Amino acid sequence: MAYVITQRCCNDASCVSECPVDCIRPRPDDPEFATAEMLYIDPDTCIDCGACFEACPVGAVYAEEDLPPALARYPEINAGYFQRHPLEADVTAPAPQRRLPRDREPLRVAIVGTGPAACYAAEHLLGTGRVEVEMFDRLPTPWGLVRYGVAPDHSETRGVADMFTAAFKRDALRMHLNTEIGTHLTHDDLLANCHAVLYAVGASADRRLGIPGEELPGSHAGTDFVAWYNGHPDHAGHTFDLSGGRAVVVGNGNVALDIARVLTAGPEYLARTDIADHALAALRHSGIREVTVLARRGPLDAAYTAAEFLALRHLPGVDVVIDPADLAGLTADGHAPAWKLRLAREYAEQPRTDGNRRIRFAFHSAPIELGGTGRVETLTTARTEQLDGGTRVTDQRETFDTALVLRAIGYRGRPVHGLPFDEAAGIVPNDGGRVAPGVYVSGWIKRGPRGVIGSNRADAAETVRALLDDFTAGSLSTPTADRETFAELIRERNPDVVDRAGWQILDQAERTRGAAAGRPRVKIASVAELLATARGR
């Protein structure tokens, strides 16, 4: 028997270096790694040692005989990858990790952000020797999109936060939560008190549709909806009209599928997760029976992963509806597209169950107008045709009755005060993460909003290499004060700073509330309550 990588794979690639027979692909240095949906284990080479199982931060690796029914197809998915990409193993020992000279002063780095990109950067830095990391987040809680972006029914994916918690126990890393750069401290404050500043602030803005009626009440950014159901303090007070029979999600990536699942899964299913209490209460009274997922292109160009598409099959009381005409004559090249097409055909052929909620995929549909008097009541779409290099909007129209339209067409970075910004790309211009000696970026603000959680590991490694090169070359300014003086400055500017001990109190309080309710945690969604809890009140 072999080990198998399954749906929750985050592309962290921690397992790759642990495998003694080099049977996990793609590797971070392989050309296809940047666009890979997940990693795979070659069953013919795997020696059943379990090293990958121990290394996986999100519990995505299973012994084949231990697979639960919902993951039963993953041996075939893993094996199928190697039928297309035969394994050529290389068990050469990896290069030793770079270490800083012991006779230099400690390298002190301020990292703005605490999401995956920030945490992977901190992990790389701490592994190089004498490094002091100061991490900042404007919220009283860490982990960024791991906490506020991962769907509540994917709680295992948040296991990557437990990996970071274990790695950050030493005082070499200090957390300064509830501290906003630009309000409590300036960019110049960070540069004066650290050798370098690394911004890993993500891409928190949303992309617009640019169609008439988009500003009507009932039209929302999918990013706002995701943050709402995940308990983000900035979004806890938002309201969404769930009274209608249909919601429309524009976009066909994993975020669109997350939204569709949350809207159709049912409160009994979601009540076992860490979904925000206010969202769960609203969904208990939801009248939505169908979510239509609009995709401008066809099934072969879908942005969702095969793993997330497969997971829809196991939603209780939900049918997935696909028009067979959208699949006629299609053939797929590549492992993941072939699986997506195969699954789409299975969904198209399966019978409907009376009384079930539905997720309906509307391929080749472009939204062109939202209509309504005072709020969204309809969405009009145009049929599209696939052309070489793009799509063409036809004269064929369809109008949906709906009171809720959620656009999930991508995230976009926001300008960072004091740094250059590329408005077209929505990123801070950089060269391998280097903005200037002493100023660096990592994650989505560096490369744009693409990839999954683990994609940030290799991205952060590249940025850290540039930073270490500059430090070794003597290009970075020496901090003007010692570390304790910097800590005093932070407390003086922000008496409400939450440190690691405060976060541990918060974390335990949420877990305790969750245990009492049979849930992983019950999130606190108010900044005031978060701060009070962190102080032990």
Side-chain angles (χ1 to χ4, degrees):
M1 304 296 279
Y3 278 82
V4 178
I5 298 177
T6 66
Q7 173 193 343
R8 293 192 297 268
C9 179
C10 70
N11 289 36
D12 170 279
S14 296
C15 56
V16 172
S17 59
E18 298 300 317
C19 179
V21 292
D22 189 40
C23 71
I24 303 175
R25 293 292 186 276
R27 298 166 297 189
D29 293 337
D30 293 338
E32 62 269 27
F33 180 81
T35 57
E37 293 190 352
M38 59 178 284
L39 307 185
Y40 308 89
I41 294 173
D42 180 18
D44 294 332
T45 307
C46 176
I47 59 173
D48 204 26
C49 70
C52 55
F53 174 84
E54 298 293 338
C56 181
V58 295
V61 180
Y62 285 78
E64 186 174 347
E65 62 270 23
D66 295 334
L67 283 168
L71 303 178
R73 300 185 76 170
Y74 278 90
E76 184 182 359
I77 291 173
N78 278 246
Y81 178 84
F82 291 96
Q83 291 170 3
R84 293 176 177 269
H85 306 277
L87 182 70
E88 296 181 4
D90 178 5
V91 293
T92 304
Q97 186 172 15
R98 183 173 181 176
R99 303 287 294 180
L100 291 173
R102 297 179 62 87
D103 58 350
R104 291 284 300 270
E105 77 277 18
L107 168 63
R108 189 184 309 153
V109 180
I111 299 181
V112 183
T114 59
C119 290
Y120 281 118
E123 185 182 49
H124 285 301
L125 284 165
L126 293 172
T128 64
R130 299 182 65 203
V131 175
E132 299 168 348
V133 175
E134 313 287 344
M135 293 191 79
F136 295 87
D137 200 299
R138 70 178 184 86
L139 293 176
T141 55
W143 314 139
L145 281 181
V146 173
R147 179 178 171 92
Y148 294 120
V150 174
D153 59 339
H154 286 0
S155 59
E156 296 89 347
T157 302
R158 294 199 177 97
V160 71
D162 294 332
M163 177 185 73
F164 295 138
T165 298
F168 298 164
K169 287 182 176 179
R170 295 179 292 138
D171 194 46
L173 182 143
R174 294 180 178 178
M175 286 186 172
H176 311 285
L177 308 175
N178 196 48
T179 303
E180 186 168 14
I181 307 306
T183 300
H184 301 108
L185 297 170
T186 67
H187 174 69
D188 289 340
D189 288 330
L190 299 183
L191 284 175
N193 287 278
C194 300
H195 292 92
V197 183
L198 191 158
Y199 288 91
V201 294
S204 58
D206 68 285
R207 296 185 182 276
R208 311 287 290 181
L209 295 172
I211 61 175
E214 187 172 11
E215 303 304 325
L216 284 171
S219 168
H220 305 272
T223 53
D224 291 343
F225 188 71
V226 170
W228 172 75
Y229 66 60
N230 274 317
H232 193 296
D234 291 352
H235 300 266
H238 287 195
T239 58
F240 299 88
D241 186 351
L242 307 179
S243 63
R246 177 190 290 118
V248 177
V249 182
V250 182
N252 66 349
N254 283 350
V255 173
L257 266 56
D258 286 346
I259 293 170
R261 284 202 320 279
V262 168
L263 286 171
T264 57
E268 297 79 12
Y269 173 85
L270 294 171
R272 303 191 299 268
T273 74
D274 67 355
I275 190 170
D277 282 351
H278 57 256
L280 183 60
L283 289 163
R284 287 190 186 280
H285 301 285
S286 172
I288 293 172
R289 304 299 300 173
E290 176 180 298
V291 175
T292 299
V293 179
L294 291 188
R296 187 180 183 91
R297 294 173 178 265
L300 295 182
D301 296 297
Y304 50 72
T305 62
E308 292 298 321
F309 195 39
L310 174 59
L312 297 180
R313 177 181 297 278
H314 304 285
L315 279 178
V318 177
D319 289 336
V320 178
V321 179
I322 292 177
D323 185 347
D326 285 336
L327 310 176
L330 295 182
T331 58
D333 293 326
H335 178 63
W339 263 99
K340 291 178 188 177
L341 181 56
R342 178 175 174 179
L343 291 168
R345 289 198 166 115
E346 291 177 6
Y347 288 134
E349 294 168 0
Q350 69 183 12
R352 313 284 178 256
T353 301
D354 289 342
N356 272 7
R357 294 174 292 275
R358 302 198 300 179
I359 298 175
R360 184 172 77 89
F361 286 83
F363 294 105
H364 301 291
S365 296
I368 59 172
E369 184 176 10
L370 297 176
T373 303
R375 63 163 301 103
V376 170
E377 297 172 352
T378 61
L379 170 65
T380 300
T381 66
R383 182 77 177 174
T384 65
E385 291 180 348
Q386 203 90 14
L387 303 173
D388 290 339
T391 58
R392 182 181 73 85
V393 175
T394 71
D395 293 332
Q396 186 176 344
R397 300 289 188 265
E398 183 176 5
T399 298
F400 301 89
D401 291 330
T402 182
L404 180 64
V405 175
L406 299 163
R407 57 184 182 274
I409 55 175
Y411 292 77
R412 176 178 169 81
R414 298 180 186 273
V416 178
H417 182 71
L419 273 61
F421 190 71
D422 183 335
E423 287 286 351
I427 62 171
V428 172
N430 66 93
D431 180 9
R434 182 189 289 110
V435 180
V439 183
Y440 307 85
V441 288
S442 187
W444 283 1
I445 196 64
K446 168 188 172 183
R447 70 181 188 275
R450 59 181 182 273
V452 292
I453 288 174
S455 307
N456 292 290
R457 192 180 193 197
D459 180 274
E462 179 187 53
T463 295
V464 168
R465 282 195 298 271
L467 191 159
L468 295 178
D469 287 344
D470 290 345
F471 180 65
T472 303
S475 303
L476 306 183
S477 299
T478 301
T480 57
D482 61 31
R483 197 180 194 193
E484 295 309 318
T485 302
F486 185 35
E488 291 173 7
L489 174 66
I490 296 169
R491 288 191 294 270
E492 176 187 328
R493 297 279 187 86
N494 179 23
D496 289 327
V497 61
V498 175
D499 60 12
R500 178 166 45 208
W503 161 242
Q504 288 171 341
I505 294 171
L506 269 172
D507 183 43
Q508 188 55 52
E510 291 187 337
R511 290 177 187 269
T512 299
R513 295 182 188 187
R519 302 168 62 186
R521 68 170 66 232
V522 172
K523 288 180 178 175
I524 300 170
S526 155
V527 169
E529 188 179 354
L530 285 166
L531 294 178
T533 304
R535 299 187 190 105
R537 297 176 186 172

